[in-house]
């Protein structure tokens, strides 16, 4: 998943887009006492001053930077000269630079160093940032100027990129309520502030359940079935939590999923599964159900106020899908064959359980465990056979190889101490092009720790731009691998390796950016398009060039045997029913919740009844149940937008076939077209046009169905 500041800071989307400082008098004066305000200095065009920033600086830093940004905006709005692109749109791109820097660091603390002190800042500042954002979009004099530039955009001698920037700024302002009357504006801003507070509470509740709940194992019998790497990880977690000599399964995806895959203890699997799927749904202080009801009601109210049928209609208007109906049509087309595949998968698993005399009916806490047994039986493939070849650091080198071959990027580690980091686990690489010119920096924060959001994501600390001189980008990849013992390699699962390549795809999207204006830079593209570059790069993991060179056994040093690679390839479409249904049930619930309109919604009941109506297989639970669905309820980001992964995957599958139809994964000409039309253009072109320029046509659904091993629909039904 890509997480930009736009989603980390609820409601601050406009602030994140504001950019470029001419003068920063207010902040400069304060920077000596509050370093978080200071322009970034040091090598590489300046780097975040993590060595000087402290949590107590965050709140005053945000306050001062917001005041400065508002003063800058007021100056633009009050300009006596007639509105032009330069004195209005470009001036906005120049403004808010101090705030951009502070918000970036605040976001890093929120997502990776989230302790009690940071949470207090979040609770205080989230509503105020939302109000700040509204103050800008509701500035009438400013909007009048933007509208004037917008009206004249085709006859002002603007470049295509400038015209698109004007169009996007204008559209974003209108979508945020710039055309409303004063009373409605006030009401809207109140809703946004209420929502921002609720999003913060929602995310903190999920994190609390992840931090505070765990399964402690204190004897060998509790470890039955677990491979050495999982045992070692559990021992490490126990040690970090002061339970030396025991084993702890933390309540996070990176701990729970391997446990459910391997543990032979059905009772413990059920216990772990229940703990994980009930995050945010346990009653008491961290229960999210009432918060969800409130969020949905406020979102429905806001959509009405803005003139949209539902929150989903509002959210999808500026996406590639454009409306909920098109997104639903795609989801429904894939849902039916996916459920049919699940029935086959369950039958295979039940047969094995019966043969073993287990005397059970497959339940959700059995799925991953028995799926492994089926994989072994059907493809003679055992995940524990692969894992010893998947060393985190070697795979990272494999990603660098891919970046060199496809993008011409070279990665060189930055000597420790050259660039400050916010945690000793974080490392930094400098990225250069074939001529040796600096492209940007890549920060890597691989390990799980308390206070770090679960999952994996990319974050751009600074977007590329060349508007007032070339600015090099700084991007980061974050994940939650369980750190092994010092000096021992970290072994990861095949799925985690895919995620690693996925997030690196987002990083390469940011690093490839070649645009003028920061508002259009890198990954700042439509939500249902942004996952396309990242999903596409997952495909390179399984190429022989990567596996033969970088999948090296951690003990023998031997590369992965060709026979094993072949087996991985054969098993490529294995368990696609589970993967698709687990994901798609979440995406469908997300969309249906936001289409349900103004009725008061009881989340548990809605989830139960909607899944029953959909024919949800009882052996699977949603990947993100409603009370823990951070994508959707800890910000607006992916609300009515979780479908985006599937939408992007239609492009991904089709784009991969562009390579396989040509010279294969490393085809230079296809890679060049991909860079020119997708990775480098940011949001300077309409994504549908960019894709067409790359592929020579639109993507249909057929390649997606082939990728997942589902029947390809008869001709003339290729939706989209
Ligand atoms: Zn992603």
């Amino acid at each position: 998943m890509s997480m930009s500041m736009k989603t980390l800071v609820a409601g601050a989307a406009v602030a994140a887009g504001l950019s470029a400082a001419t003068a920063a008098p207010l902040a400069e004066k304060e920077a000596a006492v509050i370093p978080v305000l200071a322009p970034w200095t040091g090598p590489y065009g300046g780097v975040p001053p993590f060595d000087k920033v402290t949590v107590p600086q965050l709140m005053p830093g945000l306050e001062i930077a917001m005041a400065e940004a508002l003063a800058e905006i007021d100056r633009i709005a009050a300009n006596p000269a007639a509105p032009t692109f330069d004195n209005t749109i470009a001036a906005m791109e120049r403004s808010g630079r101090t705030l951009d820097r502070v918000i970036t660091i605040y976001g890093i603390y929120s997502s990776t160093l989230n302790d009690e002190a940071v949470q207090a800042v979040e609770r205080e500042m989230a509503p105020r940032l939302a109000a700040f954002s509204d103050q800008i979009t509701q500035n009438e004099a400013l909007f009048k100027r933007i509208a004037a530039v917008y009206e004249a955009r085709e006859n002002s001698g603007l470049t295509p990129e400038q015209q698109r920037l004007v169009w996007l700024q204008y559209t974003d302002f209108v979508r945020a309520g710039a055309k409303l009357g004063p009373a409605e504006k006030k009401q809207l801003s109140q809703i946004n502030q209420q929502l921002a507070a609720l999003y913060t509470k929602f995310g903190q509740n999920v994190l609390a359940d992840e931090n505070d709940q765990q399964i402690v194992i204190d004897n060998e019998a509790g470890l039955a079935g677990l491979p050495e790497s999982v045992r070692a990880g559990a021992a490490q977690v126990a040690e970090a939590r002061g339970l030396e000599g025991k084993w702890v399964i933390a309540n996070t995806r990176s701990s729970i999923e391997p446990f459910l895959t391997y543990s032979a203890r059905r009772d413990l699997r059920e216990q772990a599964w229940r703990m994980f799927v009930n995050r945010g749904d346990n009653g008491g202080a961290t229960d999210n159900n009432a918060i969800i009801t409130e969020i949905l009601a406020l979102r429905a109210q806001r959509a009405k106020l803005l003139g949209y049928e539902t929150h989903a209609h509002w959210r999808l208007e500026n996406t590639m899908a454009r409306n909920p109906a098109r997104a639903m049509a795609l989801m429904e087309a894939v849902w039916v064959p996916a459920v049919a595949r699940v029935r086959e998968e369950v039958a295979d698993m039940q047969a094995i359980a019966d043969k073993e005399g287990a005397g059970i009916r497959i339940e959700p806490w059995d799925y991953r465990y028995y799926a492994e047994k089926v994989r072994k039986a059907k493809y003679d493939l055992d995940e524990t056979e692969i894992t010893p070849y998947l060393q985190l650091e070697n795979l990272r080198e494999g990603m660098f190889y891919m970046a060199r071959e496809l993008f011409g990027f070279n990665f060189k580690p930055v000597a420790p101490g050259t660039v400050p980091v916010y945690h000793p686990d974080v490392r930094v690489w400098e990225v250069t092009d074939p001529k040796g010119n600096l492209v940007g920096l890549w920060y890597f924060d691989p390990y799980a720790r308390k206070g770090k959001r679960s999952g994996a994501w990319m974050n751009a600390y600074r977007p590329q731009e060349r508007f007032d001189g070339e600015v090099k980008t700084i991007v980061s990849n974050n994940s939650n691998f369980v750190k092994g013992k010092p000096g021992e390699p970290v072994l990861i699962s095949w799925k985690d390796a895919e995620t690693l390549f996925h997030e690196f795809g987002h990083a390469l999207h940011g690093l490839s950016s070649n645009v003028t204006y920061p508002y259009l830079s890198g990954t700042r593209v439509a939500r249902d398009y942004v996952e396309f570059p990242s999903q596409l790069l997952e495909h390179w993991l399984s190429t022989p060039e990567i596996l033969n060179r970088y999948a090296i056994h951690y003990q023998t040093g031997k590369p992965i045997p060709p026979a094993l690679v072949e087996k991985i390839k054969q098993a490529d479409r294995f368990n696609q029913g589970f993967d698709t249904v687990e994901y798609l049930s979440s995406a469908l619930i997300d969309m249906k919740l936001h289409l349900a309109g103004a009725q008061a919604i009881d989340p548990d009941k809605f989830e139960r009844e909607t899944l029953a109506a959909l024919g949800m297989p009882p052996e699977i639970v949603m990947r993100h149940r409603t009370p823990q669905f951070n994508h959707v309820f800890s910000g607006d980001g992916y609300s009515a937008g979780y479908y985006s992964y599937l939408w992007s995957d239609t492009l991904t599958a089709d784009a991969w076939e562009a390579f396989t139809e040509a010279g294969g994964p490393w085809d230079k000409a296809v890679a060049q077209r991909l860079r020119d039309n997708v990775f480098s253009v940011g949001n300077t072109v309409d994504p549908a046009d960019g894709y067409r320029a790359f592929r020579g046509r639109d993507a249909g659904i057929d390649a997606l169905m082939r990728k997942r091993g589902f029947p390809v629909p008869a001709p003339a039904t290729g939706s989209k």
Side-chain angles (χ1 to χ4, degrees), residues 337-513:
V339 170
R341 178 58 43 82
V342 165
R343 295 212 180 91
E344 296 169 17
E345 290 172 7
V346 171
D348 285 345
M349 294 189 288
Q350 191 65 55
I352 287 190
D354 293 349
K355 211 170 129 197
E356 286 180 346
I360 61 157
R361 190 185 164 283
I362 298 293
E363 296 283 357
W365 47 90
D366 300 320
Y367 211 111
R368 285 188 163 81
Y369 181 71
Y370 280 96
E372 269 311 297
K373 294 188 178 229
V374 173
R375 172 153 43 195
K376 222 168 171 170
K378 265 198 166 166
Y379 300 97
D380 189 27
L381 184 61
D382 182 344
E383 170 91 29
T384 57
E385 258 183 88
I386 310 172
T387 303
Y389 294 96
L390 302 179
Q391 302 179 57
L392 175 62
E393 295 302 320
N394 278 10
L395 290 169
R396 179 185 50 66
E397 289 296 331
M399 300 196 303
F400 291 172
Y401 171 85
M402 171 180 74
R404 195 161 59 238
E405 291 297 309
L406 295 179
F407 294 82
F409 291 157
N410 291 300
F411 283 70
K412 198 178 105 196
V414 169
T418 318
V419 167
V421 291
Y422 55 85
H423 188 278
D425 284 348
V426 180
R427 285 167 291 162
V428 187
W429 278 261
E430 118 183 2
V431 187
T432 52
D433 70 13
K435 290 178 194 138
N437 300 316
L438 181 68
V439 171
L441 289 179
W442 182 68
Y443 286 54
F444 188 41
D445 182 2
Y447 303 123
R449 61 176 167 269
K450 260 195 173 179
K452 187 170 175 183
R453 198 161 63 76
S454 67
W457 66 96
M458 170 269 195
N459 185 13
Y461 295 172
R462 181 173 66 201
Q464 174 273 338
E465 62 174 282
R466 68 165 60 86
F467 158 49
D468 281 333
E470 184 78 33
V471 173
K472 302 298 182 184
T473 188
I474 302 178
V475 298
S476 74
N477 276 165
N478 308 269
S479 39
N480 274 282
F481 298 113
V482 179
K483 201 176 177 178
K485 290 200 187 94
E488 276 181 18
V490 174
L491 302 177
I492 68 177
S493 69
W494 182 260
K495 201 147 239 167
D496 281 343
E498 282 180 339
T499 304
L500 194 65
F501 273 64
H502 174 105
E503 298 306 333
F504 193 61
H506 285 306
L508 290 173
H509 191 186
L511 287 163
S512 302
S513 180

